[in-house]
């Protein structure tokens, strides 16, 4: 797949819905939960929250001419920064080997295609990252997050809504 075509598709499938929610069996109750379980560390007025990777997950949504898909992928490590009570940024590493489709889990042709070299090339690029550089909003309930998303050693600036 041509990189000029494939990267926008990668952005469409991963960037619009980066939510950190509770793990376990994904239900309607917890799949929209945007809070991450964490361990905090205080440095001056800043608080660093280490994401509990056993209790957190990234939700993704992708669309193509064949329809829309949603799913989940595990976080391998990450931290969020809170300064004076406001979300300011952070970094998250995503384990692309764990990508699943909500309807079919990991045992389906879509997931095999997403892991193949013509899409995410998971064998060669098992980790994707996002470095959150800015979070703007009137409240912590609805914010616009900007960051640098790196997939397959290609980094693009992305902006997406979050709660």
């Amino acid at each position: 797949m041509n990189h000029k075509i494939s990267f926008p598709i990668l952005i469409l499938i991963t960037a619009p819905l980066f939510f950190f929610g509770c793990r376990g069996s994904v239900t309607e109750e917890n799949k929209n939960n945007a809070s991450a379980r964490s361990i905090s560390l205080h440095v001056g007025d800043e608080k660093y929250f280490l994401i509990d990777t056993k209790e957190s997950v990234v939700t993704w949504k992708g669309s193509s001419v064949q329809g829309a898909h949603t799913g989940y992928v595990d976080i391998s490590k990450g931290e969020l920064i809170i300064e004076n009570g406001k979300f300011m940024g952070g970094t998250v590493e995503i384990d692309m080997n764990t990508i699943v489709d909500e309807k079919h889990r990991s045992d389906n042709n879509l997931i095999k295609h997403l892991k193949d070299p013509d899409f995410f090339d998971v064998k060669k690029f098992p980790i994707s990252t996002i470095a959150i550089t800015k979070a703007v909003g009137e409240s912590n309930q609805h914010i616009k997050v900007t960051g640098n998303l790196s997939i397959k050693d290609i980094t693009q600036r992305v902006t997406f809504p979050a709660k």
Side-chain angles (χ1 to χ4, degrees):
M1 192 179 263
N2 182 323
H3 283 291
K4 290 181 182 178
I5 295 172
S6 65
F7 197 74
I9 292 171
L10 297 177
I11 296 299
L12 286 174
I13 201 166
T14 57
L17 295 176
F18 270 94
F19 291 104
F20 306 99
C22 296
R23 182 196 301 293
S25 59
V26 179
T27 64
E28 283 302 314
E29 179 181 326
N30 70 11
K31 82 176 179 183
N32 293 318
N33 182 346
S35 64
R37 295 186 183 229
S38 62
I39 301 167
S40 66
L41 169 68
H42 301 266
V43 179
D45 289 337
E46 292 183 348
K47 294 180 187 175
Y48 294 84
F49 292 88
L50 300 178
I51 296 172
D52 183 339
T53 59
K54 293 184 181 358
E55 296 293 329
S56 303
V57 65
V58 173
T59 301
W60 60 265
K61 180 177 182 178
S63 298
S64 71
V65 294
Q66 296 157 340
H69 299 276
T70 58
Y72 310 93
V73 62
D74 290 348
I75 296 170
S76 55
K77 69 179 179 176
E79 70 178 17
L80 303 177
I81 302 167
I82 308 295
E83 185 177 302
N84 297 322
K86 293 187 83 172
F87 175 60
M88 301 301 290
T91 58
V92 179
E93 284 190 4
I94 302 151
D95 181 355
M96 298 303 292
N97 285 298
T98 64
I99 192 166
V100 295
D101 174 56
E102 184 178 63
K103 292 181 183 172
H104 304 100
R105 307 307 296 163
S106 61
D107 184 27
N108 69 66
N109 289 331
L110 171 64
I111 296 304
K112 289 175 187 169
H113 173 62
L114 292 176
K115 289 181 175 184
D116 280 347
D118 67 327
F119 218 91
F120 289 120
D121 198 359
V122 171
K123 284 184 182 175
K124 188 173 179 183
F125 303 98
I127 299 292
S128 292
T129 62
I130 185 160
I132 301 166
T133 57
K134 184 165 91 172
V136 178
E138 294 178 17
S139 71
N140 282 335
Q141 292 298 314
H142 299 281
I143 58 177
K144 185 163 50 169
V145 176
T146 301
N148 297 314
L149 177 65
S150 296
I151 300 172
K152 293 174 64 170
D153 284 344
I154 302 168
T155 302
Q156 293 285 326
R157 184 177 169 175
V158 296
T159 300
F160 54 92
K163 293 182 182 178

